[in-house]
mmCIF file of all heavy atoms in Angstrom:
data_model
loop_
_atom_site.group_PDB
_atom_site.id
_atom_site.type_symbol
_atom_site.label_atom_id
_atom_site.label_comp_id
_atom_site.label_asym_id
_atom_site.label_seq_id
_atom_site.Cartn_x
_atom_site.Cartn_y
_atom_site.Cartn_z
ATOM 1 N N LEU V 147 11.722 22.077 -13.318
ATOM 2 C CA LEU V 147 12.267 21.934 -12.060
ATOM 3 C C LEU V 147 12.596 23.169 -11.364
ATOM 4 O O LEU V 147 13.575 23.837 -11.892
ATOM 5 C CB LEU V 147 13.340 20.776 -12.153
ATOM 6 C CG LEU V 147 12.988 19.456 -12.737
ATOM 7 C CD1 LEU V 147 14.293 18.654 -12.779
ATOM 8 C CD2 LEU V 147 11.899 18.920 -11.814
ATOM 9 N N THR V 148 12.169 23.466 -10.194
ATOM 10 C CA THR V 148 12.338 24.628 -9.561
ATOM 11 C C THR V 148 13.684 24.687 -8.797
ATOM 12 O O THR V 148 14.039 25.913 -8.350
ATOM 13 C CB THR V 148 11.249 25.012 -8.604
ATOM 14 O OG1 THR V 148 11.019 23.917 -7.603
ATOM 15 C CG2 THR V 148 9.913 25.158 -9.318
ATOM 16 N N HIS V 149 14.357 23.651 -8.543
ATOM 17 C CA HIS V 149 15.458 23.537 -7.684
ATOM 18 C C HIS V 149 16.737 23.727 -8.500
ATOM 19 O O HIS V 149 17.832 23.503 -8.063
ATOM 20 C CB HIS V 149 15.532 22.384 -6.782
ATOM 21 C CG HIS V 149 14.577 22.411 -5.736
ATOM 22 N ND1 HIS V 149 13.269 22.006 -5.751
ATOM 23 C CD2 HIS V 149 14.800 22.939 -4.394
ATOM 24 C CE1 HIS V 149 12.638 22.167 -4.666
ATOM 25 N NE2 HIS V 149 13.511 22.743 -3.780
ATOM 26 N N PHE V 150 16.636 24.028 -9.711
ATOM 27 C CA PHE V 150 17.893 24.382 -10.625
ATOM 28 C C PHE V 150 17.670 25.735 -11.212
ATOM 29 O O PHE V 150 16.507 26.189 -11.635
ATOM 30 C CB PHE V 150 17.966 23.321 -11.732
ATOM 31 C CG PHE V 150 18.065 22.054 -11.105
ATOM 32 C CD1 PHE V 150 17.128 21.053 -11.066
ATOM 33 C CD2 PHE V 150 19.478 21.457 -10.799
ATOM 34 C CE1 PHE V 150 17.290 19.782 -10.446
ATOM 35 C CE2 PHE V 150 19.539 20.310 -10.359
ATOM 36 C CZ PHE V 150 18.610 19.392 -10.164
ATOM 37 N N ASP V 151 18.822 26.496 -11.296
ATOM 38 C CA ASP V 151 18.874 27.748 -11.932
ATOM 39 C C ASP V 151 19.029 27.622 -13.390
ATOM 40 O O ASP V 151 19.075 26.562 -13.886
ATOM 41 C CB ASP V 151 19.895 28.765 -11.275
ATOM 42 C CG ASP V 151 21.229 28.326 -11.349
ATOM 43 O OD1 ASP V 151 21.477 27.370 -12.327
ATOM 44 O OD2 ASP V 151 22.174 28.742 -10.731
ATOM 45 N N ALA V 152 19.137 28.807 -14.103
ATOM 46 C CA ALA V 152 19.223 28.856 -15.506
ATOM 47 C C ALA V 152 20.595 28.069 -16.073
ATOM 48 O O ALA V 152 20.580 27.652 -17.202
ATOM 49 C CB ALA V 152 19.163 30.274 -15.970
ATOM 50 N N GLN V 153 21.469 27.875 -15.209
ATOM 51 C CA GLN V 153 22.785 27.376 -15.605
ATOM 52 C C GLN V 153 22.696 25.827 -15.119
ATOM 53 O O GLN V 153 23.684 25.153 -15.424
ATOM 54 C CB GLN V 153 23.987 27.970 -14.939
ATOM 55 C CG GLN V 153 24.268 29.407 -15.504
ATOM 56 C CD GLN V 153 23.277 30.377 -15.071
ATOM 57 O OE1 GLN V 153 22.910 30.501 -13.801
ATOM 58 N NE2 GLN V 153 22.800 31.292 -15.945
ATOM 59 N N GLY V 154 21.692 25.402 -14.664
ATOM 60 C CA GLY V 154 21.550 23.886 -14.176
ATOM 61 C C GLY V 154 22.167 23.691 -12.738
ATOM 62 O O GLY V 154 22.356 22.566 -12.394
ATOM 63 N N GLN V 155 22.344 24.701 -12.074
ATOM 64 C CA GLN V 155 23.027 24.585 -10.706
ATOM 65 C C GLN V 155 21.899 24.393 -9.727
ATOM 66 O O GLN V 155 20.863 25.148 -9.717
ATOM 67 C CB GLN V 155 23.870 25.836 -10.230
ATOM 68 C CG GLN V 155 25.039 26.192 -11.285
ATOM 69 C CD GLN V 155 26.059 25.048 -11.127
ATOM 70 O OE1 GLN V 155 26.375 24.562 -10.026
ATOM 71 N NE2 GLN V 155 26.821 24.795 -12.281
ATOM 72 N N ALA V 156 22.025 23.599 -8.776
ATOM 73 C CA ALA V 156 21.125 23.318 -7.721
ATOM 74 C C ALA V 156 20.999 24.603 -6.848
ATOM 75 O O ALA V 156 22.054 25.227 -6.526
ATOM 76 C CB ALA V 156 21.460 22.124 -6.821
ATOM 77 N N HIS V 157 19.854 24.974 -6.373
ATOM 78 C CA HIS V 157 19.742 26.047 -5.539
ATOM 79 C C HIS V 157 18.453 26.024 -4.686
ATOM 80 O O HIS V 157 17.536 25.279 -5.085
ATOM 81 C CB HIS V 157 19.723 27.431 -6.363
ATOM 82 C CG HIS V 157 18.441 27.769 -7.145
ATOM 83 N ND1 HIS V 157 17.438 28.626 -6.630
ATOM 84 C CD2 HIS V 157 17.951 27.226 -8.192
ATOM 85 C CE1 HIS V 157 16.448 28.569 -7.523
ATOM 86 N NE2 HIS V 157 16.799 27.776 -8.430
ATOM 87 N N MET V 158 18.412 26.785 -3.596
ATOM 88 C CA MET V 158 17.205 26.848 -2.766
ATOM 89 C C MET V 158 16.148 27.854 -3.438
ATOM 90 O O MET V 158 16.632 28.869 -3.597
ATOM 91 C CB MET V 158 17.537 27.076 -1.398
ATOM 92 C CG MET V 158 16.312 27.067 -0.401
ATOM 93 S SD MET V 158 16.881 27.542 1.329
ATOM 94 C CE MET V 158 16.209 26.275 2.222
ATOM 95 N N VAL V 159 14.941 27.435 -3.617
ATOM 96 C CA VAL V 159 14.005 28.330 -4.272
ATOM 97 C C VAL V 159 13.770 29.500 -3.398
ATOM 98 O O VAL V 159 13.605 29.451 -2.128
ATOM 99 C CB VAL V 159 12.854 27.598 -4.457
ATOM 100 C CG1 VAL V 159 11.539 28.465 -5.025
ATOM 101 C CG2 VAL V 159 12.946 26.405 -5.379
ATOM 102 N N ASP V 160 13.837 30.748 -3.956
ATOM 103 C CA ASP V 160 13.540 31.974 -3.209
ATOM 104 C C ASP V 160 12.012 32.034 -3.047
ATOM 105 O O ASP V 160 11.292 32.230 -4.090
ATOM 106 C CB ASP V 160 14.050 33.186 -4.080
ATOM 107 C CG ASP V 160 13.834 34.491 -3.278
ATOM 108 O OD1 ASP V 160 13.330 34.540 -2.201
ATOM 109 O OD2 ASP V 160 14.376 35.456 -3.847
ATOM 110 N N VAL V 161 11.480 31.995 -1.808
ATOM 111 C CA VAL V 161 10.039 32.080 -1.505
ATOM 112 C C VAL V 161 9.791 33.490 -0.872
ATOM 113 O O VAL V 161 8.549 33.616 -0.446
ATOM 114 C CB VAL V 161 9.594 31.006 -0.670
ATOM 115 C CG1 VAL V 161 9.736 29.611 -1.400
ATOM 116 C CG2 VAL V 161 10.238 30.914 0.726
ATOM 117 N N ALA V 162 10.598 34.451 -0.945
ATOM 118 C CA ALA V 162 10.377 35.637 -0.199
ATOM 119 C C ALA V 162 9.097 36.393 -0.758
ATOM 120 O O ALA V 162 8.406 37.025 0.110
ATOM 121 C CB ALA V 162 11.624 36.520 -0.358
ATOM 122 N N ALA V 163 8.969 36.305 -1.994
ATOM 123 C CA ALA V 163 7.837 37.065 -2.565
ATOM 124 C C ALA V 163 6.380 36.413 -2.562
ATOM 125 O O ALA V 163 5.416 36.888 -2.909
ATOM 126 C CB ALA V 163 8.136 37.411 -3.999
ATOM 127 N N LYS V 164 6.535 35.053 -2.079
ATOM 128 C CA LYS V 164 5.219 34.324 -2.139
ATOM 129 C C LYS V 164 4.496 34.631 -0.846
ATOM 130 O O LYS V 164 5.051 34.915 0.190
ATOM 131 C CB LYS V 164 5.627 32.759 -2.108
ATOM 132 C CG LYS V 164 6.237 32.200 -3.389
ATOM 133 C CD LYS V 164 6.767 30.798 -3.255
ATOM 134 C CE LYS V 164 5.539 29.952 -3.301
ATOM 135 N NZ LYS V 164 6.082 28.482 -3.380
ATOM 136 N N ALA V 165 3.149 34.542 -1.019
ATOM 137 C CA ALA V 165 2.287 34.951 0.114
ATOM 138 C C ALA V 165 2.276 33.775 1.028
ATOM 139 O O ALA V 165 2.229 32.637 0.763
ATOM 140 C CB ALA V 165 0.824 35.101 -0.622
ATOM 141 N N ALA V 166 2.108 34.175 2.345
ATOM 142 C CA ALA V 166 1.978 33.251 3.413
ATOM 143 C C ALA V 166 0.472 32.753 3.345
ATOM 144 O O ALA V 166 -0.337 33.563 3.574
ATOM 145 C CB ALA V 166 2.386 33.800 4.826
ATOM 146 N N THR V 167 0.348 31.441 3.195
ATOM 147 C CA THR V 167 -1.035 30.864 3.219
ATOM 148 C C THR V 167 -1.047 29.635 4.075
ATOM 149 O O THR V 167 0.054 29.050 4.361
ATOM 150 C CB THR V 167 -1.548 30.507 1.872
ATOM 151 O OG1 THR V 167 -0.708 29.488 1.364
ATOM 152 C CG2 THR V 167 -1.602 31.690 0.881
ATOM 153 N N HIS V 168 -2.252 29.266 4.495
ATOM 154 C CA HIS V 168 -2.338 28.013 5.192
ATOM 155 C C HIS V 168 -2.030 26.872 4.326
ATOM 156 O O HIS V 168 -2.560 26.754 3.281
ATOM 157 C CB HIS V 168 -3.735 27.857 5.730
ATOM 158 C CG HIS V 168 -3.985 26.583 6.623
ATOM 159 N ND1 HIS V 168 -5.018 25.810 6.337
ATOM 160 C CD2 HIS V 168 -3.246 26.052 7.614
ATOM 161 C CE1 HIS V 168 -5.007 24.875 7.216
ATOM 162 N NE2 HIS V 168 -3.940 24.920 8.035
ATOM 163 N N ARG V 169 -1.122 26.056 4.715
ATOM 164 C CA ARG V 169 -0.654 24.885 3.835
ATOM 165 C C ARG V 169 -0.860 23.594 4.612
ATOM 166 O O ARG V 169 -0.733 23.500 5.818
ATOM 167 C CB ARG V 169 0.894 25.004 3.587
ATOM 168 C CG ARG V 169 1.408 26.301 3.070
ATOM 169 C CD ARG V 169 1.027 26.544 1.641
ATOM 170 N NE ARG V 169 1.565 27.901 1.281
ATOM 171 C CZ ARG V 169 2.300 28.008 0.060
ATOM 172 N NH1 ARG V 169 2.413 27.040 -0.753
ATOM 173 N NH2 ARG V 169 2.639 29.263 -0.308
ATOM 174 N N VAL V 170 -1.286 22.498 3.904
ATOM 175 C CA VAL V 170 -1.540 21.278 4.399
ATOM 176 C C VAL V 170 -0.994 20.306 3.617
ATOM 177 O O VAL V 170 -1.066 20.288 2.422
ATOM 178 C CB VAL V 170 -3.033 20.976 4.647
ATOM 179 C CG1 VAL V 170 -3.261 19.520 5.146
ATOM 180 C CG2 VAL V 170 -3.697 22.023 5.471
ATOM 181 N N GLY V 171 -0.264 19.242 4.084
ATOM 182 C CA GLY V 171 0.330 18.079 3.434
ATOM 183 C C GLY V 171 -0.184 16.892 4.156
ATOM 184 O O GLY V 171 -0.046 16.770 5.316
ATOM 185 N N ILE V 172 -0.671 15.852 3.323
ATOM 186 C CA ILE V 172 -1.051 14.591 4.011
ATOM 187 C C ILE V 172 -0.449 13.531 3.222
ATOM 188 O O ILE V 172 -0.553 13.333 1.958
ATOM 189 C CB ILE V 172 -2.622 14.363 3.857
ATOM 190 C CG1 ILE V 172 -3.361 15.534 4.700
ATOM 191 C CG2 ILE V 172 -3.022 13.084 4.450
ATOM 192 C CD1 ILE V 172 -4.755 15.522 4.384
ATOM 193 N N ALA V 173 0.230 12.609 3.782
ATOM 194 C CA ALA V 173 1.091 11.542 3.226
ATOM 195 C C ALA V 173 0.667 10.280 4.021
ATOM 196 O O ALA V 173 0.163 10.211 5.122
ATOM 197 C CB ALA V 173 2.605 11.707 3.291
ATOM 198 N N ALA V 174 1.006 9.116 3.331
ATOM 199 C CA ALA V 174 0.736 7.791 4.031
ATOM 200 C C ALA V 174 1.565 6.650 3.391
ATOM 201 O O ALA V 174 2.252 6.918 2.416
ATOM 202 C CB ALA V 174 -0.786 7.437 3.695
ATOM 203 N N GLY V 175 1.715 5.706 4.031
ATOM 204 C CA GLY V 175 2.526 4.484 3.743
ATOM 205 C C GLY V 175 2.183 3.327 4.730
ATOM 206 O O GLY V 175 1.384 3.527 5.575
ATOM 207 N N ARG V 176 2.753 2.264 4.350
ATOM 208 C CA ARG V 176 2.494 1.141 5.296
ATOM 209 C C ARG V 176 3.731 0.227 5.359
ATOM 210 O O ARG V 176 4.593 0.303 4.621
ATOM 211 C CB ARG V 176 1.366 0.253 4.800
ATOM 212 C CG ARG V 176 1.448 -0.354 3.506
ATOM 213 C CD ARG V 176 0.041 -0.929 2.985
ATOM 214 N NE ARG V 176 0.158 -1.427 1.765
ATOM 215 C CZ ARG V 176 0.403 -2.674 1.385
ATOM 216 N NH1 ARG V 176 0.702 -3.557 2.265
ATOM 217 N NH2 ARG V 176 0.630 -2.965 0.076
ATOM 218 N N ILE V 177 3.748 -0.578 6.525
ATOM 219 C CA ILE V 177 4.798 -1.610 6.637
ATOM 220 C C ILE V 177 4.123 -2.962 6.769
ATOM 221 O O ILE V 177 3.266 -3.190 7.585
ATOM 222 C CB ILE V 177 5.632 -1.252 7.926
ATOM 223 C CG1 ILE V 177 6.896 -2.119 7.942
ATOM 224 C CG2 ILE V 177 4.837 -1.075 9.194
ATOM 225 C CD1 ILE V 177 7.929 -1.700 8.974
ATOM 226 N N GLU V 178 4.606 -3.810 5.962
ATOM 227 C CA GLU V 178 4.022 -5.179 5.964
ATOM 228 C C GLU V 178 4.840 -6.081 6.952
ATOM 229 O O GLU V 178 6.137 -5.862 6.984
ATOM 230 C CB GLU V 178 4.099 -5.703 4.558
ATOM 231 C CG GLU V 178 3.121 -5.007 3.528
ATOM 232 C CD GLU V 178 3.260 -5.517 2.141
ATOM 233 O OE1 GLU V 178 4.155 -6.338 1.845
ATOM 234 O OE2 GLU V 178 2.540 -5.133 1.257
ATOM 235 N N MET V 179 4.248 -7.021 7.527
ATOM 236 C CA MET V 179 4.888 -7.828 8.570
ATOM 237 C C MET V 179 4.186 -9.158 8.697
ATOM 238 O O MET V 179 3.102 -9.380 8.193
ATOM 239 C CB MET V 179 5.024 -7.032 9.814
ATOM 240 C CG MET V 179 3.660 -6.825 10.329
ATOM 241 S SD MET V 179 3.622 -5.616 11.759
ATOM 242 C CE MET V 179 4.144 -4.121 10.955
ATOM 243 N N GLN V 180 4.796 -10.036 9.462
ATOM 244 C CA GLN V 180 4.233 -11.302 9.921
ATOM 245 C C GLN V 180 3.073 -10.996 10.769
ATOM 246 O O GLN V 180 3.059 -9.989 11.504
ATOM 247 C CB GLN V 180 5.191 -12.195 10.507
ATOM 248 C CG GLN V 180 6.461 -12.524 9.618
ATOM 249 C CD GLN V 180 7.400 -13.308 10.564
ATOM 250 O OE1 GLN V 180 7.243 -13.643 11.665
ATOM 251 N NE2 GLN V 180 8.609 -13.524 9.976
ATOM 252 N N ALA V 181 2.106 -11.774 10.608
ATOM 253 C CA ALA V 181 0.815 -11.708 11.533
ATOM 254 C C ALA V 181 1.275 -11.695 13.096
ATOM 255 O O ALA V 181 0.684 -10.919 13.856
ATOM 256 C CB ALA V 181 -0.178 -12.799 11.376
ATOM 257 N N ALA V 182 2.228 -12.503 13.425
ATOM 258 C CA ALA V 182 2.700 -12.570 14.694
ATOM 259 C C ALA V 182 3.274 -11.165 15.310
ATOM 260 O O ALA V 182 3.226 -10.755 16.402
ATOM 261 C CB ALA V 182 3.624 -13.650 15.043
ATOM 262 N N THR V 183 3.935 -10.474 14.297
ATOM 263 C CA THR V 183 4.500 -9.178 14.657
ATOM 264 C C THR V 183 3.423 -8.180 14.923
ATOM 265 O O THR V 183 3.402 -7.446 15.832
ATOM 266 C CB THR V 183 5.494 -8.682 13.484
ATOM 267 O OG1 THR V 183 6.423 -9.646 13.159
ATOM 268 C CG2 THR V 183 6.271 -7.507 13.847
#
Side-chain angles (χ1 to χ4, degrees):
L147 297 174
T148 58
H149 286 89
F150 296 97
D151 63 18
Q153 291 76 39
Q155 301 289 324
H157 73 103
M158 186 179 226
V159 175
D160 183 358
V161 297
K164 293 175 76 178
T167 62
H168 180 232
R169 314 281 184 135
V170 180
I172 303 171
R176 64 189 172 92
I177 183 167
E178 298 174 349
M179 61 194 62
Q180 297 172 9
T183 306

